[in-house]
Amino acid sequence: MAKKGNLSIPWPFEGMNIRLNTDTGLLKIIAMVTMLVDHLGAVIFPQYRIMRIIGRIAFPIYAYCLTVGCVYTHNMLRYVQRIVLLALIVQPLYVVAMHHTNAAMYSVAFAENPVWAVLNFYIASWNHPSILLSLALGLILLWSIRDRHLIITVAMLVFTWIIQDSLDYGFNGILLMLLFFLFCQIPLLSLPVVAGFMIWWGMQGSMYEIFGLRFSSQIFAVLALPFIYIRTNTRLRINKWVFYLFYPAHLILILVLDRLAVFG
């Protein structure tokens, strides 16, 4: 007798092979440099709007690089743990360096109760989370899809939708990571889908106007797409800790430059 056929539905996100640019060493350098330019423009040189425009390149590349990491890493738990740990450590530094402090952070006097003051300062700093929270949540979402934990997938989508106003780049940032992941094996489909989504996202604002069309600075994020979709082979290799430590390091640099500007 013939054996019964396997009626299980194949999962398309197992054994994935990314067909976009996997030259992540180069991409990480571009992401780090453009992020630094963006944050310098936000804090030190707000008069140069071009720096914020250049900075729009950073997030899509970071989102894409984490997508590549999700596809190819063998230890997703450790990968997520590194992002989460970094987010937890740098949060107060991010808020201070980027001028996102709030009155609640200083509601307890350090001189009277230093322990509670530090704890309160840290907790209240999460009123404006860094981009790392968005990246961590997006990574967990992709992980749940990759390993077919669909209940977690739905829960993450609902959760990120609920807290989107607290996320850097909001729910759209999570969706961008999801689109990179879902279509990374089909470049001819991925490019129009991702580009269309990013253009739609950029049209949700009125900071700029050309030929009667109004749009936000977010539309300049499409400038990241050539780096993601044109395959390169520079063979650049960056130690993963350099990639992670650059984030707090660039915040410290901005903080120092800001203080020098104040007292200069």
Side-chain angles (χ1 to χ4, degrees), residues 169-191:
Y169 294 99
F171 188 66
N172 286 338
I174 303 296
L175 287 181
L176 180 61
M177 294 182 67
L178 181 60
L179 291 177
F180 277 136
F181 181 79
L182 294 178
F183 300 105
C184 64
Q185 301 182 94
I186 317 172
L188 292 179
L189 182 58
S190 177
L191 179 56

Side-chain angles (χ1 to χ4, degrees), residues 85-106:
L85 181 60
L86 183 61
L88 292 173
I89 292 173
V90 306
Q91 176 59 29
L93 175 61
Y94 163 77
V95 170
V96 173
M98 299 303 297
H99 296 180
H100 294 318
T101 54
N102 57 78
M105 295 172 65
Y106 301 97

Side-chain angles (χ1 to χ4, degrees), residues 31-33 35-36 62 241-251:
M32 290 187 292
V33 171
M35 178 181 67
L36 177 59
Y62 273 115
W241 293 110
V242 172
F243 183 58
Y244 293 128
L245 294 178
F246 179 83
Y247 193 82
H250 98 283
L251 292 175

Side-chain angles (χ1 to χ4, degrees), residues 31-53:
M32 290 187 292
V33 171
T34 53
M35 178 181 67
L36 177 59
V37 170
D38 182 39
H39 288 172
L40 286 173
V43 178
I44 309 298
F45 305 108
Q47 67 273 31
Y48 299 120
R49 188 176 291 183
I50 185 64
M51 297 181 72
R52 305 307 311 279
I53 291 175

Side-chain angles (χ1 to χ4, degrees), residues 45-97:
F45 305 108
Q47 67 273 31
Y48 299 120
R49 188 176 291 183
I50 185 64
M51 297 181 72
R52 305 307 311 279
I53 291 175
I54 293 172
R56 298 310 93 208
I57 295 174
F59 177 73
I61 295 180
Y62 273 115
Y64 173 71
C65 285
L66 260 69
T67 299
V68 175
C70 177
V71 171
Y72 289 125
T73 189
H74 297 293
N75 193 329
M76 274 298 300
L77 178 60
R78 188 170 297 174
Y79 191 28
V80 172
Q81 285 175 337
R82 286 197 293 266
I83 303 295
V84 171
L85 181 60
L86 183 61
L88 292 173
I89 292 173
V90 306
Q91 176 59 29
L93 175 61
Y94 163 77
V95 170
V96 173

